[in-house]
Amino acid sequence: MSAKDNFIRVKHLYNRAGFGISYTDLSKLSKKNINKVVDALLQNSKKDDPITLVNDSESKRQMLVQAGLYSKKDLTDEEKKMRREIVQMQNEVSRDLNITWISKMINTETPLREKMTLFWHGHFACRSNNPMYAQQLNNIQRQHGLGSFRTLLIEVSKSPAMLQYLNNQQNKKGKPNENFARELMELFTLGRGNYTEKDIKESARSFTGWTYDKDGTFLFRKNQHDDGTKTFFGKIGNFEGENIIDIILEKPETASFISRKVYKFFVNDNPNEAHVKELAEHFYQSKYDISELMKKMFTSEWFYSPENVGTKIKSPAEFLIGLSREFFVTYNKPSVLIQLQSSLGQYLFNPPNVAGWPGGQNWIDSSSLMLRMRIPSLVLNDGEIDFSGKADPEDEAVIALSRTATTNANNGKPKSYVNANADWTKFLDTLPKSLTPLELTEFLLQPKLTDKIVKMVSDNKGLRSTAVEITSMPEYQLC
């Protein structure tokens, strides 16, 4: 294989398995066999690196106070104020947790670990008003995201965030709540059409008593568990939750469902069923080893086929993180990352529903595309944009992001609130001194260059202006 072909392969791998790669690292890794590059990616991701922002002791204290307040029928004005303050504090910590994870993805040295966490974050979509629960679930997905799917599934199922979100706290003997049992099969494992309503009812009975205590620790309440005989997928027994999960994993349909989701996220929005089958069989035979699944995918020839390169729309998270990593961006007011996520349609820790974000072409409409194309110039040019005269609709979308636009006293231009700084010196130092604007364009864009793009950059003089121009193109939205 030619050096250029391997260069393209490694670049594609890091765009899909991570959030891009620097030119320096790409030049080094492209001299290695792609299988060895994949092995190193997986090996480097084995070390767990949890988020520790939320103070467990303070969160548990607040939860105890909240529990006491909610148990009272009539609250004094002071108690009402206390309850409001706790909720406000939790909301602030939740925002900080979001920014902490975004920052972690921007700065991580183990991109595959964080990319897998992002995948499972969408697969096991969950909202929690309790930042301790949200952090705990995020760390479960990070710790087990490349390990055993069985372990990951059990730990997610036992997490307070998921038990609360899908109402398993209300799932008790004699009064089963089927919400968790239904989503477990429909969205997390088997997929619609591979189970019956009877399976849901029997499964729900098996998860009765799965709850958590006042400290947010998983608790199996035996007195709330239905210990009667159940029939699930033709098997009869006094099943508990783990038994149900094991029976689900015995079905090859589970391996197929997970493999298809992985394929759509990492390879192509339109699955090649032959490739999905290949992955699913390998995943099933490996006893649901997620690392084995990823290795099989990343070392398959079809992963690097032209139809799978530069054809996926970046999610808002992938777009923002990739841009920030590429140009060593720092955000002077990190809260802007919350506003950007909301405006682009992917506010992490706040999925639209238990099915998660639909992804694919749903990421883009005429408004969000124009906004995406404006963001690089805002971020990479010190957060400034020139609004001459009346703003056009695209500019208005950007202006709408800012609650208060300030004016730069030196030139009278409205200044965007983005307030970010790209480290251009650091970025340019990663590039060969002889690199041309056209070569930089080939590096920054994943789709094959069109004649129009080649012509557009062929007369460019500077790499910095070329980088801003290229990242502001629709083609930069593809990976």
Side-chain angles (χ1 to χ4, degrees), residues 161-179:
M162 192 63 76
L163 290 169
Q164 184 183 63
Y165 186 48
L166 295 182
N167 311 115
N168 213 71
Q169 288 285 82
Q170 289 81 46
N171 188 17
K172 301 174 183 177
K173 180 179 180 178
K175 292 183 179 179
N177 184 302
E178 298 173 3
N179 200 14

Side-chain angles (χ1 to χ4, degrees), residues 169 171-175 205 207-211 219-228 240:
Q169 288 285 82
N171 188 17
K172 301 174 183 177
K173 180 179 180 178
K175 292 183 179 179
R205 289 176 58 209
F207 283 102
T208 50
W210 276 41
T211 182
L219 187 64
F220 176 61
R221 297 189 188 275
K222 199 166 179 62
N223 64 322
Q224 294 181 1
H225 177 66
D226 182 342
D227 58 2
E240 295 181 2

Side-chain angles (χ1 to χ4, degrees), residues 86-344:
I86 290 175
V87 170
Q88 184 180 350
M89 224 179 308
Q90 288 176 330
N91 289 339
E92 289 174 2
V93 176
S94 292
R95 286 192 290 272
D96 290 343
L97 178 62
N98 176 292
I99 293 166
T100 297
W101 187 24
I102 288 281
S103 300
K104 188 178 187 67
M105 287 189 276
I106 291 171
N107 297 298
T108 184
E109 294 181 0
T110 54
L112 178 57
R113 168 72 65 186
E114 293 307 315
K115 194 67 171 279
M116 289 305 301
T117 308
L118 184 63
F119 168 74
W120 294 120
H121 183 72
H123 179 75
F124 294 111
C126 179
R127 282 199 303 265
S128 177
N129 293 326
N130 186 315
M132 185 179 83
Y133 294 170
Q135 176 177 284
Q136 184 185 64
L137 180 57
N138 187 259
N139 282 332
I140 286 170
Q141 292 162 351
R142 180 173 293 101
Q143 180 183 358
H144 302 292
L146 281 162
S148 160
F149 179 67
R150 178 184 185 274
T151 302
L152 173 64
L153 182 58
I154 288 174
E155 291 302 310
V156 167
S157 300
K158 288 183 173 180
S159 69
M162 192 63 76
L163 290 169
Q164 184 183 63
Y165 186 48
L166 295 182
N167 311 115
N168 213 71
Q169 288 285 82
Q170 289 81 46
N171 188 17
K172 301 174 183 177
K173 180 179 180 178
K175 292 183 179 179
N177 184 302
E178 298 173 3
N179 200 14
F180 172 75
R182 183 180 300 278
E183 307 305 358
L184 171 68
M185 286 185 273
E186 180 179 332
L187 297 174
F188 299 163
T189 56
L190 288 161
R192 192 173 293 176
N194 291 310
Y195 55 87
T196 66
E197 286 298 311
K198 178 95 173 353
D199 292 322
I200 292 172
K201 292 181 185 301
E202 297 293 86
S203 173
R205 289 176 58 209
S206 302
F207 283 102
T208 50
W210 276 41
T211 182
Y212 55 91
D213 64 17
K214 62 183 184 299
D215 288 336
T217 302
F218 174 76
L219 187 64
F220 176 61
R221 297 189 188 275
K222 199 166 179 62
N223 64 322
Q224 294 181 1
H225 177 66
D226 182 342
D227 58 2
T229 301
K230 298 108 179 167
T231 303
F232 183 67
F233 286 122
K235 297 196 173 189
I236 300 171
N238 178 15
F239 299 135
E240 295 181 2
E242 274 116 333
N243 303 127
I244 295 297
I245 286 172
D246 285 335
I247 294 170
I248 287 172
L249 294 176
E250 287 174 6
K251 297 181 75 63
E253 289 87 351
T254 298
S256 295
F257 183 75
I258 300 301
S259 297
R260 188 172 291 103
K261 285 277 293 267
V262 166
Y263 189 98
K264 290 179 73 173
F265 187 90
F266 288 94
V267 185
N268 199 305
D269 292 319
N270 301 305
N272 179 310
E273 291 303 327
H275 298 160
V276 171
K277 183 180 178 183
E278 184 184 330
L279 291 179
E281 288 175 352
H282 187 78
F283 192 34
Y284 190 75
Q285 289 165 6
S286 74
K287 300 190 187 315
Y288 292 93
D289 184 321
I290 302 166
S291 286
E292 280 295 315
L293 171 65
M294 304 311 290
K295 182 176 181 179
K296 176 71 174 175
M297 182 174 63
F298 293 145
T299 55
S300 295
E301 276 298 314
W302 47 256
F303 180 76
Y304 302 94
S305 296
E307 66 268 22
N308 294 327
V309 178
T311 54
K312 271 186 66 65
I313 297 170
K314 296 174 185 175
S315 69
E318 289 170 325
F319 166 59
L320 290 171
I321 293 157
L323 182 73
S324 302
R325 283 175 68 90
E326 189 85 67
F327 297 96
F328 307 98
V329 176
T330 54
Y331 294 88
N332 300 317
K333 291 184 178 179
S335 58
V336 71
L337 289 165
I338 298 277
Q339 293 164 299
L340 289 172
Q341 289 172 70
S342 297
S343 299
L344 292 173

Side-chain angles (χ1 to χ4, degrees), residues 238-479:
N238 178 15
F239 299 135
E240 295 181 2
E242 274 116 333
N243 303 127
I244 295 297
I245 286 172
D246 285 335
I247 294 170
I248 287 172
L249 294 176
E250 287 174 6
K251 297 181 75 63
E253 289 87 351
T254 298
S256 295
F257 183 75
I258 300 301
S259 297
R260 188 172 291 103
K261 285 277 293 267
V262 166
Y263 189 98
K264 290 179 73 173
F265 187 90
F266 288 94
V267 185
N268 199 305
D269 292 319
N270 301 305
N272 179 310
E273 291 303 327
H275 298 160
V276 171
K277 183 180 178 183
E278 184 184 330
L279 291 179
E281 288 175 352
H282 187 78
F283 192 34
Y284 190 75
Q285 289 165 6
S286 74
K287 300 190 187 315
Y288 292 93
D289 184 321
I290 302 166
S291 286
E292 280 295 315
L293 171 65
M294 304 311 290
K295 182 176 181 179
K296 176 71 174 175
M297 182 174 63
F298 293 145
T299 55
S300 295
E301 276 298 314
W302 47 256
F303 180 76
Y304 302 94
S305 296
E307 66 268 22
N308 294 327
V309 178
T311 54
K312 271 186 66 65
I313 297 170
K314 296 174 185 175
S315 69
E318 289 170 325
F319 166 59
L320 290 171
I321 293 157
L323 182 73
S324 302
R325 283 175 68 90
E326 189 85 67
F327 297 96
F328 307 98
V329 176
T330 54
Y331 294 88
N332 300 317
K333 291 184 178 179
S335 58
V336 71
L337 289 165
I338 298 277
Q339 293 164 299
L340 289 172
Q341 289 172 70
S342 297
S343 299
L344 292 173
Q346 189 184 25
Y347 186 175
L348 298 180
F349 293 103
N350 282 277
N353 50 55
V354 69
W357 294 275
Q361 293 187 356
N362 294 287
W363 290 130
I364 295 285
D365 58 28
S366 58
S367 173
S368 63
L369 177 59
M370 290 303 172
L371 180 55
R372 280 177 177 238
M373 291 165 62
R374 282 290 191 270
I375 286 173
S377 64
L378 288 170
V379 170
L380 302 182
N381 277 335
D382 301 325
E384 290 186 356
I385 187 167
D386 181 7
F387 296 122
S388 304
K390 187 180 184 306
D392 62 24
E394 292 81 20
D395 288 335
E396 287 177 342
V398 176
I399 296 169
L401 275 171
S402 178
R403 293 176 184 172
T404 56
T406 57
T407 301
N408 186 321
N410 295 327
N411 55 24
K413 297 177 184 177
K415 186 177 180 181
S416 160
Y417 77 108
V418 170
N419 197 5
N421 298 106
D423 192 332
W424 283 103
T425 301
K426 195 171 182 179
F427 170 70
L428 294 172
D429 282 347
T430 66
L431 306 176
K433 301 301 180 189
S434 59
L435 196 74
T436 66
L438 181 58
E439 289 170 328
L440 176 62
T441 302
E442 287 180 318
F443 168 66
L444 290 176
L445 294 184
Q446 281 302 97
K448 191 174 181 180
L449 301 193
T450 62
D451 292 341
K452 181 181 177 182
I453 294 174
V454 171
K455 185 178 180 182
M456 186 176 72
V457 301
S458 57
D459 294 330
N460 282 16
K461 303 300 181 188
L463 295 182
R464 175 170 172 168
S465 59
T466 299
V468 175
E469 183 179 16
I470 295 307
T471 54
S472 301
M473 293 173 58
E475 287 82 358
Y476 186 72
Q477 303 302 324
L478 298 171
C479 68

